[in-house]
Amino acid sequence: MDCREKNIWEKDGTVLATPSMTRIYHKANMLSNNQVSVLIYGESGCGKNHLAEYIQKNGTLAQAPFVCIHCNAIPSELFASELFGYFPNAFTGASNKGKTGLLEMANHGTILFDEINELSPQNQTLLLHFLQNRTITPLGSLKAREIRTRIICTSGRDLREMIGEGTFRLDLYYRICVANIHIPPLRQRREEIPCFIEYFIGKYSEIYHCDKKSLAIPSHKMEELTRLDWMGNIREIENFAQKICLSEYPDQVIQDYISRFQDFHHSVLETDSAKSPPAPDGPVVRPLREALQAFERSYIQAAVNETDSLREAAGRLGISYSSLCRKKAGYGIVKE
């Protein structure tokens, strides 16, 4: 499918092929011209960071600083020093030159808290204190500094569910969610799948100096690819496109991917069927939470068995690597 024939707007990896995404980017355009706190949530790889960058680049703060904090990449004990900075030799191991905090670096600009759902309760409290006062006090200092910065947060989970579980602060949620945007997964906007495939093949064919025409995907194969669920969303498509561009046999890569996806789902069904008890004579309804946990365990087990690494499994499942590690440990899953 040629996306240009469908009158689909595509630029810099932004694809608008469905009414839901058109509404999302219309809202993003409005938000880009003010400084309210924005929460963007959705599955891993669905385009949350891209939308955050879009808001930054297309608004009144386009030329101002843009700082990204990956909440799942900063050790919990270092979060305060990274966020607020510190004076020279403020603590054991501190640099004798001190360090400017990320919040101060984003002053008069935008700061993105990526995967804020990964913040520990202690660090949620630190962030809440800043949002309430809009001041920072670097470690080793007694003087507070006023900081004016727009806050954008992304989350791989619905924070309202985490509030119900007691793992995310309600008062912090209200501070970061003045405006919120939910990005649906690709399987709910399949019209965009061919466009992303074409976009990334075009992008990486230039990077890897490939002949783009030789990488054109036949329409019947594109239809099969469009029917796949792409649990890793846009990130999975980008990985798929790179494999095509780097392979001597791109047609085989496409067919192997389709077959592997089908085998993956068959293995999920077989695993779930093998672990299900024999059907009783009368109808028996298990508690919903128990049934969902049983399905989640079998689904994660199948993903771990099918993939070569936990990071690949996390991408296929559409969750963060740290979330998969926690679930794997909680369910006692090992690769079979």
Side-chain angles (χ1 to χ4, degrees):
M1 179 183 79
D2 190 339
C3 294
R4 290 168 293 184
E5 296 177 0
K6 298 287 185 178
N7 193 29
I8 292 171
W9 188 77
E10 177 186 322
K11 181 183 179 182
D12 299 329
T14 302
V15 174
L16 302 184
T18 58
S20 62
M21 293 307 294
T22 301
R23 287 193 297 269
I24 283 172
Y25 275 87
H26 177 69
K27 185 174 183 178
N29 282 325
M30 292 191 296
L31 293 173
S32 66
N33 291 310
N34 57 65
Q35 297 187 36
V36 301
S37 298
V38 181
L39 172 65
I40 305 170
Y41 66 101
E43 292 182 3
S44 177
C46 68
K48 300 187 294 293
N49 283 35
H50 182 83
L51 183 61
E53 292 174 7
Y54 179 90
I55 292 173
Q56 161 69 9
K57 293 177 181 177
N58 290 276
T60 53
L61 298 178
Q63 303 305 316
F66 181 60
V67 177
C68 180
I69 297 178
H70 299 285
C71 297
N72 57 358
I74 301 178
S76 182
E77 62 274 11
L78 298 180
F79 187 77
S81 61
E82 291 291 325
L83 205 63
F84 305 125
Y86 57 84
F87 270 28
N89 303 312
F91 52 88
T92 303
S95 168
N96 57 11
K97 297 181 180 179
K99 182 174 183 178
T100 302
L102 295 172
L103 284 171
E104 188 171 353
M105 292 172 61
N107 198 16
H108 303 298
T110 301
I111 190 162
L112 169 63
F113 288 91
D114 182 37
E115 298 294 347
I116 196 168
N117 54 295
E118 299 287 347
L119 275 188
S120 67
Q122 178 183 359
N123 290 333
Q124 289 178 36
T125 302
L126 290 175
L127 179 57
L128 176 64
H129 183 268
F130 164 73
L131 294 177
Q132 289 173 334
N133 301 289
R134 293 289 177 170
T135 61
I136 64 168
T137 304
L139 302 183
S141 172
L142 298 176
K143 184 178 180 181
R145 302 175 183 176
E146 185 178 23
I147 299 294
R148 295 297 172 189
T149 182
R150 174 173 57 191
I151 305 294
I152 302 179
C153 300
T154 68
S155 174
R157 288 191 59 189
D158 187 337
L159 296 183
R160 292 167 297 184
E161 293 181 0
M162 296 183 64
I163 291 169
E165 297 169 357
T167 55
F168 200 85
R169 294 185 62 128
L170 179 62
D171 44 6
L172 177 57
Y173 174 78
Y174 285 131
R175 291 284 181 178
I176 65 175
C177 188
V178 177
N180 72 86
I181 298 176
H182 173 246
I183 302 181
L186 271 182
R187 59 186 175 277
Q188 294 179 13
R189 45 189 174 110
R190 294 186 184 277
E191 298 95 324
E192 298 182 1
I193 292 174
C195 303
F196 279 115
I197 292 175
E198 291 177 5
Y199 169 78
F200 284 117
I201 287 179
K203 174 182 176 178
Y204 286 105
S205 64
E206 292 183 5
I207 293 175
Y208 300 139
H209 307 291
C210 307
D211 180 8
K212 184 179 178 180
K213 292 182 180 180
S214 67
L215 300 175
I217 299 177
S219 58
H220 68 284
K221 290 295 182 183
M222 187 66 84
E223 289 176 4
E224 290 187 68
L225 291 170
T226 302
R227 288 195 291 269
L228 304 185
D229 280 347
W230 298 99
M231 299 304 292
N233 294 292
I234 299 170
R235 189 177 296 126
E236 185 177 1
I237 287 183
E238 182 174 11
N239 178 271
F240 169 72
Q242 290 185 71
K243 289 181 179 179
I244 290 177
C245 293
L246 291 171
S247 175
E248 296 182 42
Y249 308 101
D251 292 341
Q252 188 61 49
V253 172
I254 295 169
Q255 187 54 51
D256 288 347
Y257 199 89
I258 293 172
S259 300
R260 186 176 184 181
F261 182 88
Q262 293 170 342
D263 292 342
F264 170 73
H265 279 271
H266 288 157
S267 68
V268 169
L269 293 175
E270 290 172 0
T271 301
D272 195 45
S273 175
K275 294 185 177 181
S276 299
D281 295 334
V284 175
V285 177
R286 302 163 67 185
L288 181 59
R289 180 181 293 274
E290 182 182 331
L292 290 174
Q293 288 177 340
F295 175 77
E296 183 179 60
R297 186 193 186 286
S298 65
Y299 203 78
I300 292 175
Q301 179 71 69
V304 170
N305 291 344
E306 177 66 23
T307 52
D308 297 327
S309 68
L310 285 182
R311 292 196 180 276
E312 183 183 352
R316 189 73 67 86
L317 291 168
I319 61 177
S320 67
Y321 172 74
S322 56
S323 294
L324 176 58
C325 290
R326 285 198 301 270
K327 291 179 182 292
K328 179 176 177 290
Y331 287 129
I333 292 173
V334 294
K335 189 177 180 67
E336 295 175 355

